Amino acid sequence: MKRALIALLVAGSVACALLVARADPAPDLTKGVDGVAAWLNDLTGECSKVLRDNDFTSFAGPVRAKVYEPFVAEWGTCTKEPYQRLGLIVLRPGIEEAWRRALTNGEVRGDPDLAFGDGFALTGSIGMEHLGLRRLECTPAVCSYVQIEHH
């Protein structure tokens, strides 16, 4: 009985920690990708140094860059395990419609490979559910944001 109670307390603490992480304020987007990195560093202890590169196409690939780039206000990368280069992107409005249009025109397939917050996105997929981020699911008719579930 004691072991079961201790296990419940530990599991409850982990769940509480995840809820606290999700409840943290959003990144300060007035600081651009530095604000996103600071938010991520506060939550995970990683992503303390932002690296900038001017060639978004070489980072995202030509197809994704064509769709994403008009909506990228600023971008950079940082190191956060398991990623050597986790993309941090501050977004302008409109990426949903652009992806839906590209999907309708046959330029892309599936959904964007970004994890979205309010006004920003990360390029990773592993662990993003713990940050309260969403994925964008699109059909040729409509796009909607869906909470990322833990698998």
Side-chain angles (χ1 to χ4, degrees), residues 50-123:
V50 175
L51 303 173
R52 289 174 171 76
D53 184 347
N54 292 329
D55 192 358
F56 186 72
T57 300
S58 72
F59 177 73
V63 173
R64 286 178 175 76
K66 179 182 173 192
V67 178
Y68 296 159
E69 200 160 25
F71 305 98
V72 173
E74 184 183 3
W75 77 281
T77 62
C78 70
T79 300
K80 185 200 172 310
E81 290 300 325
Y83 308 102
Q84 289 183 350
R85 289 181 69 197
L86 178 69
L88 314 170
I89 305 169
V90 176
L91 296 168
R92 293 183 190 99
I95 198 165
E96 307 89 347
E97 265 310 299
W99 191 269
R100 190 190 63 72
R101 226 177 2 264
L103 185 63
T104 301
N105 295 338
E107 298 170 48
V108 297
R109 285 188 267 165
D111 299 320
D113 56 353
L114 298 174
F116 292 90
D118 292 328
F120 72 98
L122 303 177
T123 59

Side-chain angles (χ1 to χ4, degrees), residues 14-78:
V14 171
C16 183
L18 292 176
L19 290 175
V20 169
R22 285 186 177 167
D24 275 5
D28 181 356
L29 296 181
T30 63
K31 295 179 180 174
V33 294
D34 290 323
V36 176
W39 171 78
L40 195 54
N41 190 306
D42 286 346
L43 292 175
T44 67
E46 298 176 274
C47 195
S48 59
K49 182 179 177 186
V50 175
L51 303 173
R52 289 174 171 76
D53 184 347
N54 292 329
D55 192 358
F56 186 72
T57 300
S58 72
F59 177 73
V63 173
R64 286 178 175 76
K66 179 182 173 192
V67 178
Y68 296 159
E69 200 160 25
F71 305 98
V72 173
E74 184 183 3
W75 77 281
T77 62
C78 70

Side-chain angles (χ1 to χ4, degrees), residues 124-143:
S125 58
I126 298 170
M128 298 302 152
E129 70 277 8
H130 300 296
L131 300 174
L133 300 179
R134 302 161 297 184
R135 62 179 204 278
L136 184 62
E137 292 184 352
C138 294
T139 67
V142 67
C143 288

Side-chain angles (χ1 to χ4, degrees), residues 5-21:
L5 183 55
I6 291 170
L8 284 173
L9 288 174
V10 170
S13 297
V14 171
C16 183
L18 292 176
L19 290 175
V20 169

